[in-house]
Amino acid sequence: MAKCVIFCAGGFSHLAQPIDADDVVIAADGGYLHTQKLGIAPHIILGDFDSLGFVPDSANVFPVEKDDTDAMLAVRKGLSMGLTEFVIYGALDGPRLDHTIAALQTLQYLADHGARGYLVGLTYMATVLKNETLRFPAEAQGIVSLFCLGFDAEGVTLTGLHYPLENGTLSAGFPLGVSNHFTGQSAAVCVKKGCLLALYDVSNGFPQRIS
């Protein structure tokens, strides 16, 4: 299945997975520099280009004063093309905390629109699961933290982790799910109703998802 691979202007070190021939690559503003370093010609270049400082050829230029971040512009474009799997680089490790939070909200936007998204950072990966299960292999290492987004996340079951949970509830007002640990066995995070933001070490890659 074709993916939408988006490059934003924040910190970037390497690809977490190969870009397939049928994937759609979007460079959002300063993310254009990342594609150039990789030798990739993006299919779409868009943004207001306040980060990049110049406008590349064939770019779609938007005003600085707008409702969408450049990352959101790219996500909306991918969704309009019928894509449902998004891998976003350069959105977790920028200099502005407000844009990092906006990127996390963008994951929620994708989940609310029937798509799945990943923010790939320098040390962390983030994804939002909605009424579904993430499965990690026994080789997964490090910390996994889970945060409720919006209304209470109900029917939360955690298996194979240092702190298990059976049919629990996580709320947006208390960080109960922070700093759990992989234990050397296969692990699963399940939420029956609601949304969870999952943060884990980028070396663990892309977990299996079960609706």
Side-chain angles (χ1 to χ4, degrees):
M1 181 182 296
K3 302 183 298 295
C4 184
V5 183
I6 298 171
F7 291 89
C8 299
F12 169 77
S13 59
H14 64 280
L15 295 175
Q17 62 181 191
I19 296 176
D20 296 330
D22 57 347
D23 291 343
V24 175
V25 178
I26 302 178
D29 201 316
Y32 177 75
L33 294 179
H34 298 320
T35 64
Q36 296 308 287
K37 291 178 181 177
L38 290 170
I40 296 172
H43 299 94
I44 300 167
I45 307 169
L46 52 73
D48 55 30
F49 300 101
D50 59 347
S51 298
L52 187 59
F54 67 93
V55 178
D57 292 339
S58 304
N60 299 311
V61 183
F62 291 81
V64 174
E65 295 185 0
K66 58 187 185 304
D67 291 336
D68 292 329
T69 63
D70 291 328
M72 181 60 82
L73 289 174
V75 160
R76 287 185 187 272
K77 182 62 177 179
L79 287 172
S80 74
M81 299 171 70
L83 299 168
T84 58
E85 190 86 6
F86 290 72
V87 180
I88 305 171
Y89 296 96
L92 271 182
D93 301 285
R96 289 182 53 179
L97 178 60
D98 54 347
H99 274 271
T100 302
I101 294 173
L104 296 173
Q105 287 191 316
T106 300
L107 291 178
Q108 178 70 57
Y109 182 87
L110 285 168
D112 288 341
H113 286 76
R116 294 168 172 174
Y118 299 88
L119 302 180
V120 182
L122 300 177
T123 57
Y124 275 94
M125 186 176 288
T127 191
V128 166
L129 58 156
K130 182 176 184 178
N131 307 338
E132 59 183 323
T133 298
L134 295 184
R135 292 192 183 277
F136 294 88
E139 295 76 22
Q141 297 181 349
I143 291 173
V144 55
S145 291
L146 304 166
F147 301 95
C148 172
L149 296 179
F151 297 106
D152 288 355
E154 301 175 357
V156 178
T157 297
L158 311 177
T159 57
L161 297 174
H162 184 75
Y163 301 108
L165 184 63
E166 179 67 31
N167 200 33
T169 298
L170 297 185
S171 70
F174 187 77
L176 180 65
V178 72
S179 296
N180 214 323
H181 299 264
F182 294 109
T183 60
Q185 57 183 313
S186 59
V189 176
C190 174
V191 55
K192 292 182 179 179
K193 182 180 179 182
C195 293
L196 290 177
L197 169 67
L199 293 167
Y200 55 90
D201 193 292
V202 69
S203 65
N204 293 317
F206 300 87
Q208 180 187 12
R209 304 183 79 127
I210 303 172
S211 299

